[in-house]
Amino acid sequence: MSDTTLALAGNPNSGKTTLFNALTGARQHVGNYPGVTVEKKEGIHVHEDRRFKIVDLPGTYSLTAYSLEEVVARDFLVNERPAAVIDIVDAANLERNLYLTLQFMELGVPVIVALNMIDVAQQRGISIDTAVLSRLLKVPVVATIARRGEGKAELIEVAERIVGEGIRPQGLDISYGEDIDHALAEMEQAIIAANLLTDVYPARWVALKYMENDEQILSLGRQADAALSASLEAIVTRVTDHIKATHDLYPEAVIADHRYGFIKSILQQGVLSVKHDRDRLYMSDRIDSVLTNRFAGPLIMLAVVWGLYQFTFTYSELPVAWLEGFFGWLGGMAEAYLPDGLIKSLIVSGIIDGVGGVLGFVPLIMFMFLGIAFLEDSGYMARVAFMLDRVFRVFGLHGSSVMAFIVSGGIAGGCAVPGVMATRTLKSPRERLATLLTVPFMNCGAKLPVFALLVAAFFASHEALVMFIITLVSWAGALLVAKLLRSTVVRGESTPFVMELPPYRLPTFKGLLIHTWERTWQYVRKAGTIILGISIVLWALMTFPGAPDAVKQQFDTDRQAVTVASPAAAQEIENAAEGATLSAAAQTLQGKLDGIAALEAEADLRYSVAGRIGTALETLSHWAGFDWRTNIALVGGFAAKEVVVSTLGTAYSLGAVDPEEAVSLSTKLATAPGWRPLTAISLIVFTMFYAPCFVSVVCIAREAGGWKWGAFSMVFNTVLAFSLAVVVYQVGTLLGF
Amino acid sequence: MRIPMRQMQDNQSGTIRAVRADGELGRRIRDMGLVPGTEIRIQGRAPLYDPVALRVMGFTLTLRNNEADFIEVEVD
């Protein structure tokens, strides 16, 4: 038996995700809607012998063609025809939430209203007669408390009944006033007669969308039947002119007024009774009077960001150490038990070091995501957008840009890929373009390992402070570049900031864990596939073709020479058992031999493909303090920023004196020649600003609508990063650092 | 007395009489329930005095000052 599809829909903050989690548990699949990058979550709920496939539609307030989320939601409903839509309605916010419900009903889909957070409504003295509401709306209404899973069984039973008995929706014809009603009737007849779009949409709905000037339906209509579309548009123009002349309003305003009028009349027919003043202050408002206070608000905001750092760094320390230990042990085992040669080199230097370097940071990223999920789910993130809008506007951005910046790593640890996608919530193409071109400057989870490595090596005593400064610098850089872009390549007006401040809620533990798990898994998956592949390719680049025979022979000759010079010591080393203490003479000889081996390894690397590229770039990069090893790592970082770490790891363990000693990379860097704190700062600055990883570049190109923006972000960012790094290094050197 | 929403004081209440905005801003404002006849109360302003937060039908909504200019309110 095939799955029965149910769609979950509703306003943002209505508890939709919580209900989705309650219904599907861990059986979820996260993907994208076809052709677009809006996230699509699916899960399975089994009820008796029926499997329900539950699809979580994007949260919206309306069903216009105004945002991509709304278009995706209504396209899904008309194209996939789910057996029913479970419309999650916030019981404490009935009036506004029913606005969307009406639009589902007008679209002719079977609706089940889940009256969620009924407990919160009751606490606020709001009582709702679900039976009357159900009778007046002519749809089933089920009271739920998604956080506790209450009502979900009943919801599924109602769905089962609708599916099992094949109950069709009764449809809903709201009166929009005489003028519009007449025009709609006239248009509906013409649409039915010509079958305009009626294979997917109800005729009256198409007429209504023409009246609302809906871009998507207008263009579909014009494609299907240009002549009919023109005559429908003529009717709309006639009505628009009339309404404009008599009421000084547009039809869409009249339509919205009547929808709200319809909702009010329903609620007044014994559905809703409110005990106290609805606008009285609740706990949430009292919290807001402190958290968004003119003086305390910004300070608390800084403290929250700071606290997130402390939380992340302190609690992830132990698991990070475990993972580093584990991969060190694994490398040691491979080193001891595998025969010398290319395979051993591949496994130790390519695979174990590469994967270990990336997975070692998983705990850090997990704690970071947990913190961010808490801020998002609690409602605090919206306050951040509210408080920062005035600031963002100065830079030609939008208060909601903050979300894209934060997802990308504005609070360190995000990822520019979902960040670039998060810019879809921005309605103005210009603010959106400026945001998506600057979000890659944020400290994504992949740059964190690079920063963490350098900070641990050179600024270990001030770890949290330095990471905090790095965040501030990336913000400043991103905002200034945004301003630069908005006054040059993406000039233009700014767009609306109409946003809900949801009540503060304590996030559910389950919701936080699912959210954290999804994002961390995304990172691990990327690490496990792209990074491993890149790590192996880089190993090959760094191993082949190796030093030429003449150079190799020179090393052999040198070895011969030192061995022949002290034959007794050579004999002793030859016969010595593992771990035995050598005589002074033998130790000196061993030291000399090790020195030669290190030089040989380094020569091999220098003569490899990667070494040649790195060396060639050195003439330019030495202005920023980077040697060929760093250059190789940075080139690798084009693929994904975390590759910088694994490449440095590979580069240094291949060229190291004693590969058996499991020294961690940061200790290695701290003592490596050519490295000092200023070099680390210069590299941090370069890593922060240079070309985004290719996955981000692909997303930027797709989201911005052209490869020219992808190319722009690669070239512009790299030039900017290099200029900044050179300034930092040269000025720092002049000042004596 | 009818005034643009921008001129309302913190904690002042009133009833929306007209929304002059059209296009995207108009749609967005109306989708959130800001239609003529709706009662609102100014809840406060962001630390930099913009945007403004208002209470409407039991929830909190934010608007920029230059967007609040399009909304005419009959104040109590």
Side-chain angles (χ1 to χ4, degrees):
Chain A
M1 190 165 150
S2 70
D3 295 349
T4 305
T5 306
L6 295 179
L8 274 193
N11 283 185
N13 312 307
S14 57
K16 196 163 59 66
T17 308
T18 314
L19 184 61
F20 179 74
N21 290 341
L23 284 172
T24 62
R27 283 159 297 176
Q28 303 187 2
H29 170 76
V30 185
N32 283 334
Y33 285 94
V36 294
T37 46
V38 175
E39 194 174 83
K40 180 186 188 184
K41 279 193 192 173
E42 290 180 6
I44 298 291
H45 181 93
V46 180
H47 174 75
E48 287 164 12
D49 53 356
R50 197 186 293 279
R51 265 165 63 95
F52 286 103
K53 182 173 91 177
I54 299 181
V55 179
D56 190 19
L57 296 181
T60 63
Y61 294 105
S62 185
L63 277 187
T64 59
Y66 174 61
S67 77
L68 200 62
E69 279 80 6
E70 296 180 22
V71 173
V72 161
R74 76 185 198 191
D75 281 354
F76 181 85
L77 295 178
V78 295
N79 296 328
E80 307 288 322
R81 301 206 165 269
V85 177
I86 298 179
D87 176 20
I88 295 99
V89 165
D90 175 0
N93 243 320
L94 200 50
E95 226 163 316
R96 194 201 64 213
N97 278 252
L98 287 178
Y99 188 75
L100 181 66
T101 311
L102 293 193
Q103 295 185 58
F104 286 132
M105 294 168 69
E106 285 177 324
L107 195 50
V109 290
V111 174
I112 303 168
V113 170
L115 203 56
N116 195 26
M117 296 189 273
I118 194 85
D119 52 336
V120 178
Q122 276 158 1
Q123 280 161 26
R124 294 190 170 197
I126 300 169
S127 56
I128 297 165
D129 190 327
T130 51
V132 178
L133 181 62
S134 171
R135 181 166 52 79
L136 293 174
L137 279 178
K138 301 181 191 137
V139 297
V141 177
V142 177
T144 60
I145 305 171
R147 295 172 70 97
R148 302 208 294 256
E150 283 176 31
K152 70 173 181 185
E154 210 182 332
L155 268 179
I156 292 297
E157 269 160 31
V158 172
E160 173 68 41
R161 207 161 58 232
I162 286 182
V163 177
E165 298 171 16
I167 299 171
R168 295 304 308 159
Q170 303 208 9
L172 176 76
D173 289 345
I174 301 174
S175 166
Y176 292 110
E178 211 174 319
D179 300 326
I180 292 180
D181 283 351
H182 269 298
L184 284 181
E186 188 185 342
M187 291 162 79
E188 192 179 349
Q189 271 178 5
I191 290 166
I192 292 172
N195 274 325
L196 179 73
L197 307 179
T198 47
D199 48 335
V200 269
Y201 304 104
R204 186 181 153 92
W205 189 81
V206 173
L208 193 60
K209 289 293 139 180
Y210 262 84
M211 195 61 81
E212 284 182 309
N213 221 345
D214 185 284
E215 294 96 357
Q216 191 200 19
I217 297 302
L218 276 175
S219 91
L220 284 176
R222 282 175 195 148
Q223 276 168 28
D225 188 339
L228 176 59
S229 186
S231 75
L232 294 176
E233 283 170 54
I235 297 174
V236 171
T237 313
R238 196 189 69 211
V239 175
T240 305
D241 290 346
H242 178 69
I243 294 177
K244 197 95 180 87
T246 50
H247 304 287
D248 191 21
L249 285 172
Y250 285 92
E252 35 175 295
V254 178
I255 290 169
D257 290 356
H258 279 85
R259 280 199 189 119
Y260 271 107
F262 180 82
I263 293 168
K264 277 175 192 152
S265 78
I266 280 188
L267 296 186
Q268 278 161 9
Q269 292 174 56
V271 172
L272 190 72
S273 61
V274 183
K275 230 181 280 169
H276 347 279
D277 170 17
R278 206 170 39 166
D279 288 341
R280 81 172 199 174
L281 292 179
Y282 295 99
M283 181 57 99
S284 184
D285 305 292
R286 278 196 287 271
I287 297 173
D288 254 343
S289 66
V290 179
L291 292 193
T292 62
N293 176 280
R294 187 149 296 140
F295 305 104
L299 290 177
I300 293 172
M301 188 162 62
L302 275 177
V304 167
V305 175
W306 172 252
L308 192 77
Y309 270 105
Q310 291 297 347
F311 169 75
T312 308
F313 282 98
T314 315
Y315 290 100
S316 61
E317 247 170 35
L318 197 60
V320 165
W322 289 340
L323 275 168
E324 273 177 1
F326 172 72
F327 280 100
W329 170 82
L330 206 61
M333 294 298 280
E335 190 67 49
Y337 292 104
L338 289 174
D340 279 334
L342 278 181
I343 299 288
K344 176 177 181 172
S345 166
L346 169 67
I347 290 176
V348 175
S349 306
I351 299 177
I352 296 179
D353 282 5
V355 173
V358 171
L359 289 187
F361 293 94
V362 163
L364 192 118
I365 283 155
M366 249 170 73
F367 278 98
M368 195 81 84
F369 280 149
L370 191 62
I372 291 172
F374 183 86
L375 293 185
E376 274 174 355
D377 294 359
S378 66
Y380 187 70
M381 218 60 124
R383 272 70 184 183
V384 174
F386 172 63
M387 286 190 276
L388 286 174
D389 180 66
R390 192 70 195 82
V391 179
F392 273 82
R393 220 189 323 160
V394 172
F395 299 99
L397 300 171
H398 185 277
S400 308
S401 301
V402 75
M403 288 311 171
F405 280 108
I406 286 175
V407 171
S408 300
I411 291 178
C415 176
V417 174
V420 165
M421 290 170 187
T423 61
R424 279 169 180 262
T425 52
L426 286 165
K427 299 303 177 296
S428 149
R430 288 178 295 272
E431 277 129 349
R432 188 163 161 249
L433 188 56
T435 307
L436 69 85
L437 286 175
T438 48
V439 290
F441 294 143
M442 294 289 119
N443 300 323
C444 69
K447 288 183 200 172
L448 275 190
V450 186
F451 298 152
L453 169 77
L454 295 170
V455 170
F458 296 99
F459 311 102
S461 49
H462 308 287
E463 217 164 67
L465 178 70
V466 174
M467 290 304 278
F468 187 63
I469 292 172
I470 289 174
T471 302
L472 293 185
V473 170
S474 70
W475 273 100
L479 291 179
L480 289 173
V481 171
K483 180 67 185 168
L484 178 74
L485 295 176
R486 285 286 274 125
S487 35
T488 53
V489 280
V490 267
R491 258 179 307 224
E493 283 278 313
S494 59
T495 21
F497 185 82
V498 184
M499 189 186 75
E500 188 188 357
L501 291 184
Y504 289 103
R505 286 183 193 129
L506 197 64
T508 62
F509 191 60
K510 187 176 171 183
L512 288 181
L513 287 189
I514 289 177
H515 188 104
T516 306
W517 166 248
E518 273 168 8
R519 292 205 195 174
T520 310
W521 177 235
Q522 226 172 4
Y523 172 84
V524 172
R525 219 169 29 183
K526 207 174 123 197
T529 54
I530 301 178
I531 306 308
L532 180 58
I534 299 288
S535 190
I536 290 170
V537 168
L538 282 170
W539 167 82
L541 285 179
M542 274 180 271
T543 308
F544 304 106
D549 287 344
V551 178
K552 288 241 184 228
Q553 249 152 34
Q554 183 59 46
F555 285 116
D556 285 340
T557 316
D558 290 351
R559 245 189 299 267
Q560 210 88 55
V562 290
T563 316
V564 171
S566 42
Q571 193 65 38
E572 189 188 338
I573 291 174
E574 188 86 11
N575 298 330
E578 185 91 22
T581 316
L582 296 172
S583 69
Q587 277 183 16
T588 316
L589 176 61
Q590 187 65 51
K592 281 180 184 164
L593 286 173
D594 287 346
I596 294 169
L599 287 174
E600 186 178 7
E602 196 175 321
D604 268 340
L605 189 55
R606 260 183 189 275
Y607 280 103
S608 70
V609 177
R612 285 166 211 232
I613 298 173
T615 315
L617 287 173
E618 216 171 38
T619 47
L620 196 63
S621 70
H622 82 272
W623 292 102
F626 305 153
D627 68 355
W628 56 279
R629 281 195 186 88
T630 311
N631 290 349
I632 301 173
L634 288 171
V635 170
F638 267 115
K641 293 291 154 75
E642 56 267 54
V643 168
V644 173
V645 174
S646 51
T647 311
L648 276 177
T650 312
Y652 277 94
S653 70
L654 277 180
V657 179
D658 185 0
E660 271 189 40
E661 211 184 299
V663 193
S664 84
L665 182 55
S666 56
T667 329
K668 237 173 232 174
L669 286 187
T671 53
W675 281 92
R676 55 193 159 120
L678 184 63
T679 325
I681 295 175
S682 173
L683 182 55
I684 286 172
V685 168
F686 190 84
T687 306
M688 200 184 294
F689 292 107
Y690 90 115
C693 66
F694 75 82
V695 187
S696 305
V697 172
V698 170
C699 289
I700 288 173
R702 207 168 51 182
E703 296 291 321
W707 275 102
K708 97 181 161 168
W709 291 113
F712 176 85
S713 73
M714 280 171 68
V715 175
F716 174 80
N717 294 13
T718 306
V719 170
L720 174 77
F722 187 66
S723 315
L724 290 174
V726 168
V727 169
V728 165
Y729 191 72
Q730 294 303 327
V731 172
T733 306
L734 274 178
L735 295 176
F737 287 102
Chain B
M1 190 181 58
R2 276 191 181 199
I3 56 171
M5 189 187 280
R6 183 206 278 258
Q7 291 171 18
M8 291 176 74
Q9 307 294 316
D10 283 8
N11 287 316
Q12 195 176 16
S13 330
T15 307
I16 295 178
R17 286 300 168 216
V19 178
R20 303 270 171 224
D22 58 340
E24 286 190 357
L25 177 61
R27 268 187 217 177
R28 200 88 169 100
I29 288 176
R30 284 187 285 269
D31 284 349
M32 296 301 244
L34 298 182
V35 293
T38 304
E39 289 168 20
I40 57 135
R41 184 173 52 74
I42 302 295
Q43 189 161 303
R45 286 178 163 86
L48 297 166
Y49 297 93
D50 188 15
V52 56
L54 51 119
R55 196 87 183 150
V56 50
M57 304 188 299
F59 70 97
T60 307
L61 193 66
T62 64
L63 284 175
R64 284 180 184 149
N65 281 338
N66 58 11
E67 292 156 4
D69 279 340
F70 291 100
I71 302 172
E72 251 179 50
V73 183
E74 176 106 47
V75 292
D76 301 343

